[in-house]
Amino acid sequence: QGVNYACMSVADDLVLGCSNDKAARLWSMSGARLRHTLTGHQGKVLCGAFVAATGRVVTSGQDKSVRVWDAARGAGVKTMICYSTCLDLA
């Protein structure tokens, strides 16, 4: 489905794409290979960001959750429930 947001990691060889299909994906820029599919949101994934020097990624979804992921393993680290939809992360 459609991509809502994409960003590149400054430190790593990764691109993060956030999608309408309730998932975010981490792609390797060299070779354009899919590294991980990050699933767990219950609605569209609206935006994401790399957390500098930590190896983590943050995503927010239409389900009013903000999720922290380990970019190397593609595993969820923490989920925070918000009172409204988060449209941007910095």
Side-chain angles (χ1 to χ4, degrees):
Q1 293 191 13
V3 174
N4 295 314
Y5 187 85
C7 62
M8 288 176 40
S9 169
V10 176
D12 299 317
D13 180 44
L14 298 174
V15 172
L16 172 66
C18 302
S19 180
N20 285 341
D21 66 357
K22 304 179 187 177
R25 289 173 178 79
L26 285 169
W27 296 85
S28 172
M29 286 190 287
S30 60
R33 293 181 39 202
L34 178 65
R35 298 266 308 266
H36 299 292
T37 301
L38 310 176
T39 58
H41 283 285
Q42 300 303 308
K44 297 175 184 178
V45 183
L46 301 173
C47 63
F50 288 93
V51 183
T54 66
R56 299 217 169 150
V57 174
V58 179
T59 59
S60 70
Q62 193 176 33
D63 60 356
K64 300 181 183 176
S65 73
V66 174
R67 294 178 180 263
V68 180
W69 309 86
D70 181 313
R73 295 182 304 124
V77 174
K78 185 173 188 173
T79 300
M80 297 164 277
I81 304 302
C82 304
Y83 291 105
S84 62
T85 302
C86 177
L87 299 175
D88 194 16
L89 295 165

